[in-house]
Amino acid sequence: MGVTGSVGKRLAPRVTELAPGLTTSFVREALRRAIAGVGPLPPAAAAADKQLAEQHGDVDRAVHEVIENHVRYAGAQGLVTNIGGVVTAALTIPTNITGLALIQCRMIAGIAHLRGYDLEDPRVRNAILTCLLGRDTVDTLVKKKKLPAPPMALATAPAHDPDLDRIISAEVASDLITKVAGKRLAVVVGRRVPVVGGIVGMGVDGYATWRIGRYADGELLPRAPR
């Protein structure tokens, strides 16, 4: 875990007061807008289908392009900030965090769509949000029995468990709060060397998005031939 991440976890309880809009309802609204389309970004499924057409029906290559596109979006700080402002209820929440969450949700949703999952299925939506947490966090939560299973198993569960909606949303909200704390620290440090801070910020956001995309790629295996 990096310095900002470790400090973020220690500051997270205080950041709850600074970012009251980061709630479970915010998490679900962010996911809904990521799937439906928001600002300059069209719906996740439509964007994924466009990539599939450009790759002449090759699903794996389309998934790769979806990931690469969203890594570029994540690195474009202006776009991320603009997207974040669409769903940020509390001005104290860094728009970069909310925008990045939206972009990553949209990326995962696009991968899920290409692999044959129904984005309207609440089990699939829970899987998308769980992917957002990343492999290490998911493995820890499963080991501690705070989550019943990793994303693939959640998406293909025999039935939808409404109680799981609340649990996953709460974990994602907590994870975002930790990122808020880390981002606030990075902003303070970056102000001393603004150009370097901006370059580092773009690199960190892009790399984090790539890792989550790779995790979703490995978890959300094909459901049926397209």
Side-chain angles (χ1 to χ4, degrees):
M1 179 181 295
V3 173
T4 56
S6 60
V7 173
K9 284 190 176 296
R10 292 198 295 271
L11 294 179
R14 291 187 57 201
V15 178
T16 306
E17 300 174 1
L18 298 174
L22 276 180
T23 61
T24 56
S25 60
F26 164 83
V27 169
R28 291 289 162 177
E29 178 64 9
L31 175 60
R32 185 188 71 79
R33 296 198 182 198
I35 291 174
V38 60
L41 299 178
D49 284 339
K50 180 180 178 182
Q51 289 302 320
L52 185 63
E54 290 182 1
Q55 300 305 321
H56 308 290
D58 188 321
V59 173
D60 288 339
R61 292 190 63 174
V63 167
H64 174 80
E65 288 302 312
V66 166
I67 294 173
E68 291 300 311
N69 286 343
H70 285 81
V71 168
R72 286 192 287 270
Y73 295 155
Q77 298 295 298
L79 175 62
V80 171
T81 300
N82 179 54
I83 296 299
V86 175
V87 296
T88 302
L91 295 179
T92 53
I93 303 175
T95 52
N96 171 267
I97 295 295
T98 56
L100 192 61
L102 263 167
I103 285 172
Q104 291 173 351
C105 277
R106 184 175 182 270
M107 172 184 65
I108 301 165
I111 294 170
H113 173 72
L114 288 170
R115 292 280 166 77
Y117 295 83
D118 178 5
L119 299 184
E120 297 303 318
D121 188 328
R123 297 170 299 174
V124 174
R125 294 197 172 201
N126 278 341
I128 291 170
L129 287 177
T130 302
C131 283
L132 192 66
L133 294 170
R135 182 185 304 278
D136 292 342
T137 299
V138 171
D139 288 349
T140 298
L141 291 173
V142 171
K143 186 175 181 179
K144 292 182 177 180
K145 298 184 178 180
K146 291 185 177 181
L147 285 179
M152 178 68 181
L154 295 178
T156 57
H160 170 235
D161 179 3
D163 290 337
L164 197 55
D165 295 358
R166 175 184 54 78
I167 294 170
I168 292 174
S169 296
E171 290 295 342
V172 172
S174 176
D175 186 65
L176 290 175
I177 287 171
T178 299
K179 290 176 181 176
V180 168
K183 184 66 71 172
R184 288 188 184 280
L185 177 63
V187 167
V188 171
V189 174
R191 280 175 180 165
R192 298 184 179 182
V193 191
V195 175
V196 173
I199 293 172
V200 170
M202 287 188 286
V204 168
D205 290 345
Y207 178 65
T209 301
W210 178 81
R211 287 192 64 183
I212 289 173
R214 295 298 299 166
Y215 177 52
D217 181 17
E219 272 291 321
L220 301 175
L221 302 178
R223 290 300 309 276
R226 294 188 66 86

